[in-house]
Amino acid sequence: MLVLLSLIGSSAKEILCEDSPQKKSQKQNKSSWEKRLKKADSFWSFKPLKRPSLPDEISSTPTASSKPTWAPNHAPLQEYLEAWYVSSTLSLRDRELVLSWNDQSGKNRNLIPTRSRLNEGFGHPPRFIERGKIQGHPAIRFGPLMGLGVKTPTDSHADLYKLKGNSGYTFIMVVYLDTLPQRQNVGTLFGFGDPAPGANFGKPTSGFIELHPASSRLSHSGGFGHNAALSHFSLRRITHRPLVLTLIKKPGAMTSSTEFFVNGQAQTQNPLKSTLSGSQAIPDMRLRSDWSIFLGSALKELAHFRGDVSEVAFYSTALTQAQREAVEAGLLKKYKIESSKKEAQRTHPIDAFVLKKLKQARLSSAPPASKQVLIRRAYFDLLGLPPSPEKVKAFVQDKTPYAWERLIDELLDSPRYGERWGRHWLDVARYADTGGYETDIYYRNAWRFRDYVVKSFNDDKPFDLFVQEQIAGDELWPDNLDLAGSYVIDPEKIKNFEALTATGFYALGPQIHESNMDAKKLRLERLTDWVDTTGSAFLGLTLACARCHDHKTDPISQRDYYSLQAVFAQSREAEIPIQHGMGIADYKQHYPAVIRVDEARKAYRLYERKTGGRQRTPQETQQLQQLKLSLADALLSLPIRDAQGVAYDGLMEPPKVSVLQPEIEALVPPIFILERGELHREGEKVNPALPQFLAAKTEANKALPSAIKSRGELARWITRSDHPLTSRVMVNRIWQWHFGQGLVPTANDFGAMGIPPSHPLLLDWLAHEFIAHGWSIKTMHRLIMTSKTYQQSSNFSSETHQNKDPDNRLLWRTNRRRLEGEALWDAIHSVAGTLNLRMGGRPVMPPLIAEELTDKANWVPSQDPGDHTRRGIYIIVRRNFRFPLFEIFDAPVNAVSCAGREVSTVAPQALWLLNNHTSFQQSQNFATRLLREAGNDSEKQIQRAFNLALQRDPNPQELKESLDLLVKLKNQPIAEEDFDPLPDPLKKLPKKQAKALIGFCLMLLNLNEFIYID
Amino acid sequence: MNPSPQEHQFNPQIKSRRSFLENSAFGLGCIALSQLLARDELQASLSNKKDLSTSHQLNPRAPHFAPRAKNVIFLFMVGGPSQLETFDPKPVLQKLNGKPLPKSFNAEGLPLQFMRAVDGRLMGSPFPFTRHGKSGLEISSLFPKLAQHADDLAVVRSCYHDSFIHGPAITLLSTGSVLLGHPSVGAWVTYGLGSESDSLPAYIAMTDSGFRGGRVMYHSGFLPAIYQGTLLKNEGPPIQNLSRPKGIHQGDQRILLDQLSQWNERHRSTRPGDSRLEARISNYELAYRMQMAAPELMDIAGESQKTRELYGLSQGATQRFGSMCLYARRMVERGVRFVLLMNSDWDGHGECAKNHQNNASRIDQPIAALLTDLKQRGMLEDTLIVWAGEFGRTPVMQGSNGRDHSPYGFSAWLAGGGIQGGKVIGATDEIGFRAVEDKVHVHDFHATMLSLLGLNHRKLTYLFEGRERSLTDIGGNNDLAERLVST
């Protein structure tokens, strides 16, 4: 590869794209192509993805464990095994509903969705996930409304369970828990017996394991009459990691004898407080006849949990230590979960990889950043917003272990997260609301794709699913959205609709208006955009070169390129209505309202013409005025929503979404290889197919390279877990968005012209983890942010470091980040207290002043003042005219997928922050906020201002200088016309004082410390 | 490998010189400091890769070879002026006026916007051509004043490309590609040569009305934003955010800036090894200077009455473009590298003659004045003037007296920058439809412009999306520079 790279270096132009004067002999071309393929065979990014060993795994010799590993139904335990569920015994398709999870204990206690099948049954079916979050093992994914329960036959309950109020029992679960919203008090993982609270005599015994979102802890409650509740058991993190979770209750009172274990380690930091009490009598399970064992919200009393479950075992005895350890060891091994003991001993894997490289380069790494720096970093990183002073204070003072982990969880649960990270993906998706070029045609539905992206990030939609939906949501989840005569919309339909919306990815590319005049050219432009963007965004390959000739450096032939075009040629863009059948009928019912507007306009125009060309009489002018008013009346009477409550777009336009749809077969145009990419030089006809070389790199089908039929197949192939590129490319993007630079700095180019990874093993390990955790992006955030590498100080350097590794590719410190345009906009408004957090909807246009506008006609300022301070992601993205602040601060060009934004430092940025009306207005609002929150006391105002803008206290010197500054500014002359009306309560201050405070606020917003995140 | 312009050798003395400058009074050392910083940053990343620490700067850079011109004034005639009414006389066309297009021109299937070429009748030009100057260069009666500079102009009559629609054609002429996202010529030039001004943007665009191309015409595309053109307004504040907010006077701002720089300096001093922090500090001083320099640039009160008359500032028709031309001279005087002046709109589908008469009357005197003025100030030698539209127009008639778009053969001219004027390069066919002799594609035209500035279009590259990109893509072989400057 080095040879090839240096060759490129010598004069890339000539080699890459030379305009070959004469056609070289076919033979020569062929052999050089074969050479290229051979080289590509050993190229890093095309190699199969294998989990690399961790640096410290290599050194530590696996201690031949003498301890036994048992299956849950190991013979001595069989007798007590009351129920046993194993996800791998299910033969369901991915994402299929679980309508029954059969018991493997031999006692036939099968779990079923309880809704309408049990008295008080509430649980909807969960879904089967082929590669779940527990190291990629199959799992049952639980979420809102979902729950399973065991229905016991009424006639045989007498000898069903051996459980009495004072019995011992053991519960083991292989689970991956997601966090729950803080507002949900509790979620039930598992339970048996009667969940009803209260000391109602005669209730049977019960036991429940519950998750408490606010504290991310588990508790155990139950006992006879449900009258014992153990306090939260652990400070250890139990969410977002695969767990073998064990609960053992020994015979007798719960308090003294109940213990939790996480991955083999006892969790006993917290004293257990309550006692088992109640009746002398010890009722047993027989008092409940209909149901007995639950997962999730199987009954209306039980709240749901979110997460993946791979295996559950329930014993009617307290296992001994040796038994427990043997079963746990078996499960840990089976699911490749690290034991807590081992985890505590080793370095964070990311750090292990990073430290190894640093050690090789003989470079030290930076010390850890302070908590103050960390919370600011985490907030801007995950939310793109500053933390409130109160949050900073609480976090800095929180000395409990795992405070950092809890902060990360909290931020990932915020809806602001999707707005921040969705914006990153929009860069990749070359998102815009218009088509660009001279006419900049308006895509009125593009924002639905934007909202889809934000939602997908917030939902932590598995990335493979996210990709599949965008490439082929219409094919993979086909749905005519027909409601089959009901007002109730099936959740399934909503999901399918979401998948359909995702294909908007292809409907918002750049488009030349006039090329509509030349259908062939238009199609070529579109197919080029679709194929190139697919390559850059999902495969991290620049395919574009292969449009004109076989790729000069990567194993993509011209045939491959046009075969991909042929895949997309079977699709067409379409706008489909979002209303359901009733809504459409409502629209038709109310259509005369539109005719009324049209007629009112006609009346006006007619009268205008009739009386035009001369001086109108006063009566005529009045009549014309009257006609204008009727027009306005007609407009105002247009319904805003249909009778189903679905809002119309604009002027009673049925809301629609732009999507891809399969083209009618007879209309699919043939695709030819175009010589030198020129439209009129058609060569051989090609069929849809995967890129040959890459297809052979996956095990998709031994008979590959095969022809494929559709985008659906392409999407499935791209998201295969053995695809060498997809996971590597995405984890690299995630890394880049965290660190400012990817392990591969060329995020859209994993080919030979890209820059190879600084840490190839780390990249592969991350990619492997990504897939193993069900392509969960939030899991990657947790993984990355809990590393020491992420938590390093940025404030560190030395000559040696600078000389050896000026670009910090070895990660010897954290990179200081400058806020992007959107984040800057958000931060300014957030600090000023004016940020409007309303989500989604048609893009907004905050007012601009004349000097900022090159095209006034198409800038229609939003009329609701609340829309002027929405988050930056909601401001319209026109290809031909960018929002000035974003333009100045390196907004992507969005003609093609953007691999990473430039970070320029130019004078217009300084001018914007110093002089722009927004910057100044928000300084006024900031000053107003200070007055409101800190009163009319300069010291307190300064203190508050520092807290709000910089997330820290001023030091004594800064305090003094700030006070001096206020005095200096106050002593400056002012003029009466200096002020537009000031907001309350600022206007109550003496003008000179108000002006000084505004100036001080303006200066804070201009500080390097404000715009750079350490 | 030939170093691209942003690569400089690491100079170990820089660090110590910097600390010296840091210790001296802030304002004084500022300019020198920022230039040193620029070089510092560049040495931080010699790899010419898009890495985190690569921060591009505008300090002047040496061209690849000895240049003929240092600055460019690009007069972009938006809408597509007709070659047949301006610089490409066609006696045969005049003769065939009203006749159908002869079959021999083989125009069946040739795409035009509104018509089929074979359907139209030929239309001669209503504007007679006469020979001018010593060279006898033929220029139509539309440009009587410009014609007085005939001996300065080198007319290229054989420009061509194949985009017959405004949007893509403007994008092509501006950026070398019909696709969005590519840098404009001015951005490439600024990337190659940097700026000579420490208080004005290196690349400025102005327009006399709304224009079709939008920001692609002066955008930096995939090049860093620092190379982007700044659109200067004719009226009101010329640059965005140049005027201080109401209530913040110059004195107030100075107080704020002094405090800002003190705190920014303190912030920086505890954060070693991050040159962006320093760059941003110096940007505030540049912004402060720009607030003075830009209004000064636009304030033409100091220009003599003679000059004002020369540019036609007191006449309605020429006032607008005249003032733009005068600003252009003032910009070049002040070190602006690339000036783009847009005049629109030449889209003569309907009454082509009337449209062209009208446009010409607005630009003829101002452009002639610009040439005169630059010459008398000795600036024409260093300044390349380019006049071009995105395409020309058809010899066949559209409607009763219009012409449709034709990119297949059209005229442009160049002057100044060492060009030996009074010459014609290339030719179209007998009716002026297609370029047939010495064909000059847009890429060739761009290569020529770069050559005159001392830049090799094949070496002025930037790595983007896996390819070393250049203004001329895979074209640009017919570099006319030598022919333009030879006598």
Side-chain angles (χ1 to χ4, degrees):
Chain A
M1 207 46 244
L2 271 176
V3 180
L4 188 57
L5 273 175
S6 62
L7 205 61
I8 289 158
S10 74
S11 179
K13 195 78 227 169
E14 275 82 341
I15 293 163
L16 288 178
C17 276
E18 92 269 37
D19 198 3
S20 70
Q22 302 294 322
K23 253 192 188 167
K24 288 172 194 150
S25 73
Q26 289 287 332
K27 205 173 165 188
Q28 195 188 336
N29 276 343
K30 201 177 168 199
S31 77
S32 77
W33 176 245
E34 274 159 9
K35 265 188 215 157
R36 197 165 311 133
L37 291 184
K38 209 171 162 202
K39 269 180 184 157
D41 243 348
S42 56
F43 191 66
W44 69 269
S45 66
F46 306 131
K47 277 193 193 153
L49 183 63
K50 283 199 191 110
R51 179 186 182 274
S53 313
L54 299 176
D56 43 4
E57 273 175 358
I58 304 161
S59 55
S60 67
T61 46
T63 44
S65 175
S66 54
K67 290 189 177 163
T69 52
W70 291 356
N73 63 342
H74 190 67
L77 304 179
Q78 178 70 53
E79 167 185 1
Y80 306 104
L81 186 61
E82 298 292 331
W84 182 31
Y85 308 102
V86 186
S87 59
S88 59
T89 60
L90 290 170
S91 51
L92 297 175
R93 279 184 297 111
D94 191 35
R95 283 173 35 104
E96 203 172 335
L97 297 176
V98 177
L99 300 176
S100 167
W101 194 6
N102 289 349
D103 179 19
Q104 306 295 313
S105 73
K107 298 193 170 75
N108 208 25
R109 290 172 183 145
N110 299 339
L111 286 165
I112 52 169
T114 57
R115 184 177 179 226
S116 72
R117 292 166 78 172
L118 296 183
N119 294 336
E120 301 171 60
F122 193 68
H124 290 250
R127 278 172 197 282
F128 177 77
I129 303 292
E130 207 174 278
R131 294 185 310 276
K133 294 180 180 177
I134 301 164
Q135 314 291 27
H137 284 270
I140 315 297
R141 183 158 299 166
F142 284 82
L145 306 180
M146 296 174 197
L148 297 175
V150 173
K151 171 140 177 73
T152 51
T154 41
D155 53 344
S156 62
H157 66 257
D159 54 350
L160 255 183
Y161 295 91
K162 302 184 187 92
L163 288 167
K164 293 197 174 198
N166 63 349
S167 297
Y169 50 83
T170 301
F171 168 74
I172 303 183
M173 190 175 196
V174 182
V175 64
Y176 183 105
L177 292 173
D178 287 321
T179 39
L180 286 165
Q182 302 277 322
R183 60 180 182 277
Q184 186 176 341
N185 316 328
V186 67
T188 309
L189 293 184
F190 168 84
F192 69 89
D194 186 353
N200 182 6
F201 182 78
K203 289 260 180 184
T205 189
S206 64
F208 290 89
I209 299 175
E210 289 161 329
L211 175 67
H212 299 262
S215 50
S216 283
R217 294 176 210 183
L218 290 180
S219 72
H220 178 218
S221 60
F224 166 63
H226 196 261
N227 57 2
L230 299 186
S231 61
H232 307 159
F233 84 93
S234 171
L235 290 169
R236 174 166 281 279
R237 275 187 66 225
I238 44 154
T239 49
H240 303 295
R241 52 208 296 263
L243 305 174
V244 172
L245 183 68
T246 308
L247 171 88
I248 291 185
K249 179 193 167 283
K250 294 199 177 128
M254 274 170 74
T255 46
S256 56
S257 59
T258 302
E259 230 178 339
F260 274 107
F261 300 84
V262 169
N263 295 343
Q265 195 168 55
Q267 309 295 313
T268 49
Q269 291 99 323
N270 264 16
L272 305 173
K273 287 199 182 106
S274 10
T275 54
L276 177 73
S277 60
S279 163
Q280 323 299 328
I282 300 173
D284 61 22
M285 291 280 285
R286 274 174 291 186
L287 285 185
R288 281 310 292 243
S289 58
D290 51 355
W291 24 264
S292 50
I293 292 178
F294 321 101
L295 293 175
S297 72
L299 303 172
K300 73 176 186 321
E301 298 90 345
L302 304 176
H304 74 271
F305 73 100
R306 286 173 43 189
D308 285 9
V309 179
S310 279
E311 194 158 338
V312 178
F314 182 43
Y315 303 92
S316 54
T317 183
L319 299 187
T320 65
Q321 184 180 341
Q323 288 170 335
R324 172 184 63 78
E325 283 180 350
V327 175
E328 282 174 343
L331 291 171
L332 288 169
K333 193 173 166 198
K334 176 175 174 186
Y335 291 96
K336 297 201 182 81
I337 301 171
E338 200 170 27
S339 72
S340 291
K341 199 171 148 196
K342 213 164 154 198
E343 187 192 352
Q345 284 165 352
R346 62 139 173 81
T347 333
H348 190 294
I350 290 176
D351 298 329
F353 285 112
V354 169
L355 288 172
K356 192 177 166 202
K357 283 261 174 186
L358 282 170
K359 204 172 158 192
Q360 281 167 0
R362 293 167 186 243
L363 287 176
S364 54
S365 47
S370 71
K371 286 184 94 174
Q372 209 143 19
V373 167
L374 277 183
I375 186 173
R376 190 167 194 247
R377 183 183 296 170
Y379 260 79
F380 276 109
D381 199 357
L382 291 181
L383 308 188
L385 292 169
S388 70
E390 294 67 34
K391 282 274 177 203
V392 175
K393 199 172 163 198
F395 177 69
V396 170
Q397 287 174 354
D398 185 351
K399 304 289 185 218
T400 58
Y402 304 104
W404 173 241
E405 284 81 353
R406 280 201 300 279
L407 174 70
I408 296 169
D409 284 348
E410 188 187 321
L411 298 185
L412 289 177
D413 282 339
S414 163
R416 311 282 84 78
Y417 159 80
E419 294 171 325
R420 170 66 163 167
W421 280 71
R423 185 54 252 178
H424 291 322
W425 184 256
L426 294 180
D427 283 6
V428 174
R430 72 193 177 332
Y431 175 85
D433 294 300
T434 65
Y437 297 97
E438 181 192 349
T439 51
D440 212 16
I441 52 180
Y442 190 80
Y443 299 148
R444 59 177 190 154
N445 297 323
W447 61 268
R448 293 191 201 277
F449 174 77
R450 176 247 283 149
D451 285 357
Y452 156 81
V453 170
V454 171
K455 180 173 187 296
S456 297
F457 273 90
N458 275 335
D459 291 351
D460 195 20
K461 178 171 284 169
F463 183 69
D464 54 347
L465 181 60
F466 185 56
V467 173
Q468 287 168 6
E469 288 179 345
Q470 290 174 84
I471 298 177
D474 57 324
E475 283 185 17
L476 296 176
W477 293 276
D479 200 321
N480 59 9
L481 303 181
D482 181 58
L483 294 166
S486 166
Y487 282 127
V488 184
I489 303 176
D490 191 326
E492 197 70 5
K493 293 245 171 228
I494 294 173
K495 283 226 153 79
N496 294 345
F497 175 71
E498 199 172 299
L500 203 54
T501 307
T503 60
F505 180 88
Y506 290 98
L508 46 75
Q511 194 195 323
I512 304 174
H513 179 193
E514 301 94 331
S515 57
N516 280 290
M517 295 196 6
D518 184 343
K520 257 187 156 176
K521 191 169 179 188
L522 176 70
R523 196 175 64 228
L524 179 65
E525 278 167 16
R526 260 186 213 167
L527 290 175
T528 301
D529 170 53
W530 292 354
V531 169
D532 292 359
T533 309
T534 303
S536 304
F538 305 120
L539 299 174
L541 285 181
T542 53
L543 302 178
C545 300
R547 183 176 138 169
C548 304
H549 46 64
D550 290 346
H551 203 295
K552 298 281 177 177
T553 55
D554 291 333
I556 304 287
S557 68
Q558 206 186 357
R559 169 178 293 275
D560 288 335
Y561 186 84
Y562 286 97
S563 303
L564 282 173
Q565 283 210 350
V567 174
F568 284 96
Q570 305 177 358
S571 318
R572 66 188 164 85
E573 287 170 84
E575 277 197 335
I576 55 168
I578 290 179
Q579 287 168 306
H580 61 63
M582 273 306 284
I584 293 167
D586 290 341
Y587 168 77
K588 290 174 181 167
Q589 181 193 351
H590 292 113
Y591 192 76
V594 176
I595 299 178
R596 189 174 162 220
V597 174
D598 199 36
E599 289 299 325
R601 179 172 60 184
K602 212 181 277 172
Y604 179 84
R605 291 277 180 236
L606 281 172
Y607 195 76
E608 190 188 33
R609 208 179 309 151
K610 188 175 151 199
T611 58
R614 59 179 167 84
Q615 188 72 32
R616 289 193 180 96
T617 68
Q619 287 93 329
E620 283 170 343
T621 309
Q622 202 191 343
Q623 173 64 12
L624 203 58
Q625 237 5 67
Q626 198 50 49
L627 286 170
K628 211 179 238 179
L629 284 177
S630 337
L631 177 57
D633 270 349
L635 268 173
L636 287 173
S637 68
L638 287 178
I640 289 170
R641 295 170 184 283
D642 67 21
Q644 318 309 315
V646 177
Y648 288 117
D649 279 356
L651 302 176
M652 203 178 141
E653 285 234 39
K656 288 184 175 163
V657 60
S658 296
V659 298
L660 278 198
Q661 298 263 271
E663 178 61 281
I664 296 167
E665 209 176 325
L667 297 181
V668 172
I671 294 294
F672 301 94
I673 293 179
L674 300 181
E675 207 178 311
R676 293 183 56 191
E678 288 172 24
L679 197 51
H680 55 279
R681 295 170 76 170
E682 288 179 351
E684 197 186 332
K685 182 170 178 281
V686 290
N687 292 319
L690 299 174
Q692 261 195 342
F693 172 86
L694 281 175
K697 290 281 154 196
T698 58
E699 295 283 316
N701 168 359
K702 281 295 177 190
L704 281 173
S706 71
I708 54 167
K709 286 202 203 79
S710 63
R711 278 180 286 120
E713 285 175 84
L714 177 66
R716 285 232 169 88
W717 172 71
I718 285 177
T719 53
R720 289 185 55 85
S721 55
D722 63 352
H723 197 292
L725 289 166
T726 314
S727 57
R728 282 182 173 125
V729 168
M730 187 56 188
V731 292
N732 187 62
R733 289 194 201 283
I734 296 171
W735 189 274
Q736 173 183 300
W737 293 326
H738 273 299
F739 288 89
Q741 173 174 241
L743 296 168
V744 177
T746 50
N748 274 6
D749 193 355
F750 274 48
M753 283 298 281
I755 304 173
S758 51
H759 300 73
L761 295 179
L762 173 56
L763 182 73
D764 281 8
W765 184 82
L766 288 168
H768 179 271
E769 288 296 296
F770 186 41
I771 296 172
H773 289 89
W775 303 80
S776 156
I777 293 169
K778 287 190 178 178
T779 301
M780 299 315 283
H781 296 313
R782 292 189 180 91
L783 190 60
I784 289 171
M785 292 176 76
T786 50
S787 71
K788 288 204 173 82
T789 304
Y790 180 86
Q791 297 170 57
Q792 288 180 98
S793 171
S794 61
N795 194 355
F796 172 77
S797 183
S798 80
E799 289 277 338
T800 320
H801 286 88
Q802 288 288 352
N803 288 338
K804 276 195 177 166
D805 182 22
D807 294 340
N808 190 27
R809 292 207 63 199
L810 295 179
L811 296 154
W812 44 269
R813 67 173 172 186
T814 289
N815 294 312
R816 185 169 294 112
R817 313 275 304 275
R818 195 208 67 203
L819 295 181
E820 302 92 333
E822 291 88 342
L824 179 61
W825 171 270
D826 294 347
I828 288 172
H829 288 87
S830 173
V831 167
T834 52
L835 189 66
N836 175 359
L837 293 174
R838 193 160 76 226
M839 293 179 76
R842 191 168 78 189
V844 297
M845 298 189 228
L848 294 174
I849 59 172
E851 65 174 53
E852 295 175 294
L853 286 168
T854 49
D855 175 10
K856 294 182 185 92
N858 288 321
W859 194 263
V860 188
S862 305
Q863 290 305 303
D864 177 353
D867 278 341
H868 302 168
T869 56
R870 299 274 300 277
R871 288 200 73 175
I873 189 175
Y874 299 118
I875 294 175
I876 193 167
V877 185
R878 285 180 50 193
R879 282 199 164 87
N880 212 352
F881 173 75
R882 300 304 299 274
F883 190 60
L885 169 68
F886 302 164
E887 172 93 2
I888 295 168
F889 280 90
D890 306 299
V893 181
N894 63 32
V896 294
S897 171
C898 170
R901 294 191 183 191
E902 285 290 334
V903 185
S904 70
T905 310
V906 295
Q909 294 168 349
L911 284 173
W912 194 97
L913 278 160
L914 275 177
N915 293 339
N916 185 271
H917 56 103
T918 300
S919 165
F920 188 65
Q921 263 166 22
Q922 294 312 317
S923 299
Q924 284 186 0
N925 290 328
F926 187 10
T928 309
R929 179 178 187 182
L930 293 181
L931 207 56
R932 217 168 42 225
E933 294 178 5
N936 194 6
D937 171 332
S938 292
E939 272 194 40
K940 282 188 184 148
Q941 287 165 358
I942 293 163
Q943 172 85 27
R944 186 73 185 156
F946 267 71
N947 289 168
L948 284 168
L950 308 175
Q951 285 78 48
R952 66 177 179 88
D953 291 331
N955 62 36
Q957 190 182 6
E958 287 165 335
L959 186 60
K960 185 182 168 298
E961 285 161 351
S962 302
L963 287 167
D964 291 351
L965 178 69
L966 287 175
V967 172
K968 258 191 259 174
L969 288 170
K970 216 160 72 179
N971 290 339
Q972 285 290 110
I974 55 166
E976 198 49 43
E977 68 276 10
D978 275 359
F979 296 95
D980 289 327
L982 289 174
D984 223 17
L986 199 58
K987 68 174 173 215
K988 293 192 183 123
L989 285 189
K991 285 216 161 130
K992 286 194 160 193
Q993 198 189 331
K995 177 178 158 172
L997 194 57
I998 295 167
F1000 170 70
C1001 290
L1002 180 65
M1003 195 213 54
L1004 287 182
L1005 300 182
N1006 275 275
L1007 282 174
N1008 276 357
E1009 190 177 346
F1010 178 72
I1011 198 169
Y1012 282 100
I1013 307 304
D1014 277 339
Chain B
M1 177 176 176
N2 289 294
S4 54
Q6 82 272 34
E7 289 177 15
H8 291 257
Q9 289 305 304
F10 172 48
N11 181 348
Q13 291 180 336
I14 284 173
K15 295 236 153 124
S16 54
R17 279 196 287 158
R18 177 158 76 198
S19 43
F20 165 74
L21 283 164
E22 273 169 9
N23 295 334
S24 62
F26 175 69
L28 282 175
C30 187
I31 299 164
L33 175 65
S34 65
Q35 286 177 6
L36 289 181
L37 289 174
R39 299 182 56 181
D40 244 17
E41 296 205 20
L42 294 165
Q43 69 87 11
S45 171
L46 291 170
S47 58
N48 185 23
K49 301 279 189 190
K50 287 172 72 178
D51 281 348
L52 196 72
S53 63
T54 313
S55 175
H56 291 262
Q57 291 293 319
L58 280 172
N59 54 323
R61 289 185 275 269
H64 298 126
F65 46 82
R68 295 290 179 159
K70 291 181 182 158
N71 314 301
V72 181
I73 299 174
F74 195 133
L75 308 166
F76 200 127
M77 303 294 115
V78 180
S82 163
Q83 69 281 16
L84 305 164
E85 268 67 34
T86 53
F87 298 99
D88 196 4
K90 289 293 161 191
V92 174
L93 179 65
Q94 299 298 107
K95 224 186 293 173
L96 295 176
N97 189 29
K99 301 258 162 48
L101 179 71
K103 281 234 155 45
S104 57
F105 285 96
N106 218 359
E108 188 69 53
L110 190 72
L112 298 176
Q113 187 175 28
F114 288 108
M115 58 186 294
R116 299 192 323 142
V118 289
D119 292 346
R121 290 179 181 277
L122 294 170
M123 178 170 81
S125 171
F127 306 109
F129 282 73
T130 36
R131 293 185 178 276
H132 297 273
K134 285 185 202 151
S135 60
L137 186 76
E138 288 178 280
I139 298 177
S140 87
S141 65
L142 278 179
F143 298 118
K145 296 226 156 119
L146 181 63
Q148 292 166 19
H149 292 271
D151 292 341
D152 291 325
L153 308 186
V155 175
V156 183
R157 287 183 181 159
S158 52
C159 298
Y160 79 100
H161 57 82
D162 59 5
S163 285
F164 55 92
I165 289 162
H166 294 291
I170 289 170
T171 312
L172 178 64
L173 196 73
S174 302
T175 71
S177 167
V178 295
L179 301 174
L180 282 185
H182 293 251
S184 55
V185 189
W188 279 109
V189 169
T190 314
Y191 167 62
L193 299 177
S195 175
E196 300 282 350
S197 171
D198 65 3
S199 53
L200 284 173
Y203 173 16
I204 295 180
M206 285 187 91
T207 178
D208 65 351
S209 63
F211 54 100
R212 294 164 177 272
R215 63 182 198 139
V216 295
M217 298 182 74
Y218 52 89
H219 204 262
S220 56
F222 52 70
L223 285 177
I226 194 167
Y227 304 117
Q228 188 159 315
T230 301
L231 186 67
L232 225 64
K233 304 255 173 161
N234 291 299
E235 284 152 8
I239 297 179
Q240 281 181 31
N241 305 312
L242 201 61
S243 27
R244 285 178 288 272
K246 205 171 168 184
I248 302 268
H249 301 287
Q250 192 177 341
D252 307 331
Q253 194 182 55
R254 195 60 256 176
I255 292 173
L256 291 178
L257 283 173
D258 287 343
Q259 187 61 66
L260 186 69
S261 91
Q262 187 194 15
W263 284 3
N264 277 343
E265 273 299 321
R266 203 179 288 154
H267 175 264
R268 186 199 62 74
S269 67
T270 56
R271 285 163 176 78
D274 188 345
S275 51
R276 296 171 305 168
L277 300 179
E278 304 163 47
R280 190 163 184 272
I281 293 170
S282 60
N283 265 323
Y284 272 87
E285 290 307 314
L286 172 57
Y288 187 71
R289 289 197 301 276
M290 223 188 253
Q291 292 178 145
M292 325 289 165
E296 189 276 334
L297 168 73
M298 306 300 278
D299 179 10
I300 49 173
E303 296 284 344
S304 69
Q305 191 53 36
K306 205 176 139 204
T307 303
R308 292 155 162 277
E309 274 167 23
L310 182 67
Y311 283 91
L313 297 196
S314 50
Q315 299 144 36
T318 49
Q319 188 276 333
R320 193 111 198 206
F321 203 72
S323 60
M324 283 163 60
C325 285
L326 178 55
Y327 292 144
R329 189 214 81 209
R330 292 172 64 90
M331 289 175 205
V332 172
E333 262 176 343
R334 285 159 181 74
V336 175
R337 180 72 70 192
F338 197 103
V339 181
L340 173 67
L341 301 186
M342 291 168 272
N343 166 247
S344 49
D345 185 305
W346 291 78
D347 199 15
H349 287 289
E351 298 179 71
C352 186
K354 197 171 154 195
N355 166 295
H356 279 40
Q357 181 77 65
N358 183 22
N359 279 310
S361 69
R362 290 192 286 132
I363 64 162
D364 178 42
Q365 182 181 346
I367 295 177
L370 179 62
L371 290 169
T372 307
D373 201 11
L374 288 174
K375 205 169 196 177
Q376 76 195 9
R377 286 164 196 263
M379 292 163 64
L380 190 58
E381 272 304 290
D382 286 342
T383 306
L384 173 65
I385 316 285
V386 178
W387 183 98
E390 69 267 28
F391 40 52
R393 310 202 76 85
T394 53
V396 287
M397 199 188 301
Q398 179 190 357
S400 56
N401 47 10
R403 296 192 192 276
D404 202 352
H405 311 159
S406 171
Y408 308 110
F410 62 98
S411 300
W413 58 257
L414 303 93
I419 287 171
Q420 299 298 316
K423 69 170 63 139
V424 170
I425 290 178
T428 48
D429 57 27
E430 286 172 303
I431 56 166
F433 208 159
R434 290 187 177 95
V436 289
E437 229 175 75
D438 263 332
K439 292 174 73 173
V440 176
H441 189 268
V442 173
H443 292 321
D444 304 326
F445 197 79
H446 286 155
T448 303
M449 286 176 68
L450 293 184
S451 266
L452 291 166
L453 293 161
L455 295 168
N456 179 337
H457 69 103
R458 292 193 193 281
K459 291 181 185 162
L460 186 67
T461 61
Y462 186 82
L463 183 68
F464 176 70
E465 289 275 295
R467 265 179 62 196
E468 288 289 349
R469 306 301 184 104
S470 68
L471 172 59
T472 53
D473 196 22
I474 57 171
N477 297 318
N478 187 11
D479 179 350
L480 302 174
E482 275 311 309
R483 291 177 61 185
L484 288 170
V485 298
S486 61
T487 43

